[in-house]
Amino acid sequence: MKKWILLMVLPALLSLSCSQDGGVSDLRFDPLPYAYDALEPYIDAETMELHYSRHHKAYFDNLVAALKGTPLARQPLEVLLAQASRLPDAVRNNGGGHYNHAFFWKVMSPDGGGVPEGKLGEKIEASFGSFDAFKEAFTKAALSRFGSGWVWLCVAKDGSLFITSTANQDNPLMDTVEKQGKPILALDVWEHAYYLSYQNKRGSYIDAFWHVVDWDAVAAFFEASL
Amino acid sequence: MNQQVSPHTLPALPYADNALDPVITASTIGFHYGKHHRAYVDNLNRHIAGTEYADMSLEDIIRATSGKADKAGIFNNAAQIWNHTFYWKSLRPGGGGEPPAALKEKMEAEFGSVNTCKTVFSAAALTQFGSGWTWLVLDGESLKVVKTANADLPLTTGLKPLLTLDVWEHAYYLDYQNRRPDYVKAVLEKLINWDFALENIP
């Protein structure tokens, strides 16, 4: 894997206070942790730029607008999303859209790929039989998500790992999903995530994704969840 | 519409693949018709081979599987074949403009004006979150605008579809990327086939 210099080329960290009414919020639009072209050839620069600066930014801006002046603005994002069933659509959809994308950027890296090691590697082998069996199950979930959505590797409350898929911008933190858990790996299978490079070939995009998965980041999310 | 039974085939595109250019490019049509629409046909044939659905018409399959979670694979592919065939007919080179008089009257009766009807249709297309479709339908005698998610369609809810707009990202991403509003506006101004909508009014 080619080594890339990490470039912080993006707009300065946009810290946003939603606390006009005295509350505390953790809402912020962080810079992408690598350059737009850093994940090439697996994910092209144009896709990354549109995905981060248009799609993700729109979810963030719409979330801020939907929360403004409401008591919901005081809550940390993860706490907010856990009550998805009671949220207005604009908060659920844009809150999910912001959380999911911010998380997705963190589990990819130009130095990614390979096989998870250590505790996470052992846990995946114990849970799915082998790393290849895990990849196969995750890929199948990604291929069979009909319409727009996400695929996740999560840690359940009892500490076990499971793969799940959510529609649109829902995620496993939400109380609207079949099985809730703490995400440690995510794959966006909205068409905007891959259409410029892969068009109808979602399978090729999924194959490419494994080359950029940052297993160190996934392992850190795994250990933080325990 | 399509009464054909298995194996289902890909209906011919009603115009050349570059006929909608530049609003919808030949490249988009090449994938959308040549890959996505075709894949739904191939997948449906594979799913229904040797099942009770093998000898049913497309519309019967859609009605028989609608709302059944364990038949989602069949329903999604069957409905997407129907939706796409209907979508191609809802567009035409040199479309847009003023609707024919009989349709215009209905729009004015229901929405007050053609422009309001178009505005309501656009708003539905822009607010369909995720993948889906926007429809002009007849609900009894009156015109309505509805939106559906993923493969869902008005056929199964007692509404009569008159025309549709595909707002899955694959319908516009190569040409418009994240700018769905530009796609919707351009199609309504330049491609929408009002004559087809009128033909669908009994």
Side-chain angles (χ1 to χ4, degrees), chain B residues 74-197:
Chain B
I74 295 177
F75 173 81
N76 287 338
N77 286 293
Q80 286 292 78
I81 297 172
W82 198 96
N83 294 343
H84 282 90
T85 302
F86 200 75
Y87 171 63
W88 305 129
K89 293 181 181 174
S90 299
L91 310 175
R92 70 176 178 88
E98 279 287 291
L103 181 62
K104 194 176 166 194
E105 277 169 31
K106 278 202 169 286
M107 287 176 167
E108 287 168 350
E110 193 62 40
F111 296 96
S113 71
V114 171
N115 267 343
T116 307
C117 178
K118 283 158 74 172
T119 304
V120 170
F121 189 91
S122 297
L126 298 184
T127 55
Q128 173 54 42
F129 190 70
S131 302
W133 300 82
T134 308
W135 307 81
L136 185 64
V137 301
L138 268 188
D139 182 5
E141 292 292 303
S142 48
L143 277 188
K144 281 217 170 83
V145 169
V146 296
K147 52 187 176 177
T148 59
N150 294 336
D152 287 348
L153 68 177
L155 214 57
T156 53
T157 51
L159 302 169
K160 169 89 182 151
L162 302 183
L163 61 75
T164 193
L165 180 65
D166 190 347
V167 293
W168 281 61
E169 287 176 322
H170 66 230
Y172 60 85
Y173 212 79
L174 295 181
D175 298 333
Y176 299 91
Q177 297 83 47
N178 62 306
R179 302 184 312 279
R180 190 192 287 186
D182 293 353
Y183 159 72
V184 172
K185 184 169 185 279
V187 168
L188 282 178
E189 279 177 7
K190 293 174 179 156
L191 298 182
I192 204 82
N193 188 348
W194 298 126
D195 294 331
F196 178 64

Side-chain angles (χ1 to χ4, degrees), chain A residues 134-158:
Chain A
F134 155 73
K135 262 174 76 173
E136 197 179 314
F138 191 93
T139 300
K140 192 177 169 204
L143 285 172
S144 53
R145 163 53 52 194
F146 186 74
S148 304
W150 292 77
V151 186
W152 308 86
L153 177 63
C154 295
V155 180
K157 269 203 183 106
D158 64 3

